[in-house]
Amino acid sequence: MNQVLSAETGAMIPKPALAAELGVSSRTLSRWLADATVEFPRPITIRSRLYFNRVGIEAWKSARLRAALIAGEVA
């Protein structure tokens, strides 16, 4: 089965695939979801599985990078 549910306006990525893409564990994603300060995009549930909107994830990653650049954390 395809790892990403495709739709022209916004692909959905399952939690295990997103964890692998970000280089973190599935548990870390759960922690980010539980911590409001992380502002991690909310998933949708399909048949008891979590899926994340690709557009939301990319926006979150961009915001984190911008914040790191402003704070001088990234050279």
Side-chain angles (χ1 to χ4, degrees):
M1 184 170 146
N2 191 347
Q3 284 291 344
V4 177
L5 301 177
S6 295
E8 275 303 312
T9 58
M12 300 301 290
I13 183 167
K15 185 178 179 182
L18 180 59
E21 177 182 317
L22 296 175
V24 298
S25 69
S26 183
R27 179 68 181 124
T28 295
L29 289 183
S30 295
R31 288 184 186 109
W32 290 351
L33 286 168
D35 184 349
T37 63
V38 177
E39 299 178 351
F40 200 73
R42 300 289 114 189
I44 63 167
T45 303
I46 302 173
R47 295 188 176 189
S48 301
R49 294 185 179 156
L50 298 181
Y51 292 86
F52 295 83
N53 180 282
R54 170 60 67 194
V55 173
I57 295 298
E58 294 304 320
W60 178 82
K61 290 184 341 187
S62 293
R64 299 278 293 199
L65 179 58
R66 268 193 309 277
L69 288 171
I70 290 170
E73 296 175 9
V74 177

